[in-house]
Amino acid sequence: MTSIAVLGNGRVGGNLAAALTRAGHEVTVADRAPGDAADAARSAEVVINATPGAGSLERLAALRDELRGKILIDVSNATVDGPDGLPGDLIHPGSSLAEQLQEALPDTHVVKTLNTMLFPVMTAPATLTRTPTAFLSGDDPQAKQTVRDLLTDLGWHQDWITDLGGIRTARATEAAILFVPHVIRADGFTPFAISIAR
């Protein structure tokens, strides 16, 4: 059992919190109130950033002390909304939210994952008609192994998980968000994920 704090209680955070609780972990969900987030992060071994990506950097940088020595799983994408409310341009072109978080939180092990799919797939990957891929980006191998184990608890088979390397590789998976609005406009909000076909 791992103590996990989920920052953000929207569709993404709520979905992850419920699934991880069902898997037997001790999960705390914090809303956007700074005090709630600090308390939750302080008492957890693993913290999941499920806050809206546009404000994540500022929000989490303020938790530097509480996040020291912790694993921070970043599932958010930092974008400017387009005119229809769907993701538009990247906020950190040539970089990524995950890289910015790692720079702002040097004593925290940031791992990027689960950001290349619609939220229902995060906790039910086997419901898709084809095998999805969950990517890992992060500089600390032990932290990535912990995240890999948590993904297994969420239903991800080991051969569905691809370790891309260091945190710099997160800029590739975050750029994949630019596919999302076009796919949604074409097919609606049917669950989908980016997959590597071999």
Side-chain angles (χ1 to χ4, degrees):
M1 183 184 73
T2 304
S3 61
I4 301 170
V6 178
L7 306 185
N9 66 350
R11 292 178 299 179
V12 174
N15 186 43
L16 287 169
L20 290 165
T21 299
R22 286 194 301 271
H25 298 288
E26 181 183 331
V27 180
T28 302
V29 179
D31 204 340
R32 298 187 185 189
D36 291 347
D39 289 342
R42 190 179 298 112
S43 61
E45 300 166 76
V46 174
V47 178
I48 298 176
N49 174 38
T51 65
S56 290
L57 181 57
E58 181 180 2
R59 190 173 289 118
L60 272 73
L63 301 175
R64 182 170 177 167
D65 289 341
E66 290 81 4
L67 291 171
R68 182 173 285 113
K70 308 290 176 73
I71 296 171
L72 175 63
I73 303 175
D74 179 31
V75 303
S76 294
N77 290 300
T79 60
V80 177
D81 286 345
D84 56 2
L86 293 175
D89 291 334
L90 299 172
I91 291 178
H92 305 290
S95 182
S96 64
L97 173 59
E99 289 173 87
Q100 298 297 313
L101 287 170
Q102 187 61 85
E103 184 176 343
L105 303 164
D107 300 317
T108 302
H109 307 300
V110 179
V111 179
K112 189 80 180 192
T113 193
L114 296 179
N115 63 309
T116 55
M117 61 200 69
L118 288 192
F119 78 92
V121 182
M122 295 177 176
T123 58
T127 60
L128 296 184
T129 58
R130 294 184 180 89
T131 301
T133 304
F135 300 100
L136 293 176
S137 299
D139 293 335
D140 185 87
Q142 188 173 350
K144 284 194 286 188
Q145 183 58 54
T146 297
V147 176
R148 184 182 282 271
D149 292 342
L150 290 174
L151 290 178
T152 300
D153 290 343
L154 293 175
W156 290 87
H157 296 271
Q158 287 298 310
D159 57 352
W160 297 359
I161 303 169
T162 298
D163 186 343
L164 296 178
I167 200 66
R168 192 175 187 273
T169 64
R171 64 182 62 181
T173 61
E174 289 191 28
I177 191 66
L178 299 178
F179 277 104
V180 171
H182 306 297
V183 174
I184 290 174
R185 291 183 192 115
D187 297 327
F189 280 90
T190 303
F192 70 88
I194 289 178
S195 178
I196 301 298
R198 293 187 174 89

